[in-house]
Amino acid sequence: MFSQLVHIGFDLAVVAALLAGIRRTTGLTVRLNDNPSQGNVSLVRKYLDFGERTLDFIVGFMTMFPKYFVRQSG
């Protein structure tokens, strides 16, 4: 049971980071209606913000290993 929760949590983090990467490279993002009657909007916004932070962490981690990862110009 615990391992399944960890697996699902990891999958959710990967999907959030993927959505953040898509937003950064293409400008496409999830459309959110800012209707106050919908409580799920703030939850989705927090999830997408978590994806941004996750992507920033992954990129920062990768820059610690210049032997394996380089930035391409152009």
Side-chain angles (χ1 to χ4, degrees):
M1 174 81 175
F2 180 72
S3 64
Q4 285 180 324
L5 288 175
V6 170
H7 182 73
I8 291 170
F10 182 79
D11 288 347
L12 288 172
V14 169
V15 170
L18 175 71
L19 290 172
I22 290 171
R23 188 192 66 77
R24 287 186 184 182
T25 57
T26 65
L28 295 172
T29 189
V30 177
R31 179 178 297 186
L32 298 174
N33 295 331
D34 291 327
N35 188 352
S37 65
Q38 296 176 337
N40 294 335
V41 171
S42 65
L43 183 63
V44 172
R45 186 167 284 128
K46 287 179 185 179
Y47 176 68
L48 294 174
D49 289 342
F50 171 73
E52 292 285 335
R53 290 190 308 271
T54 303
L55 184 63
D56 289 339
F57 174 79
I58 292 169
V59 170
F61 183 77
M62 291 172 69
T63 58
M64 292 172 43
F65 300 100
K67 182 178 178 181
Y68 301 108
F69 302 104
V70 295
R71 290 192 188 267
Q72 287 184 333
S73 60

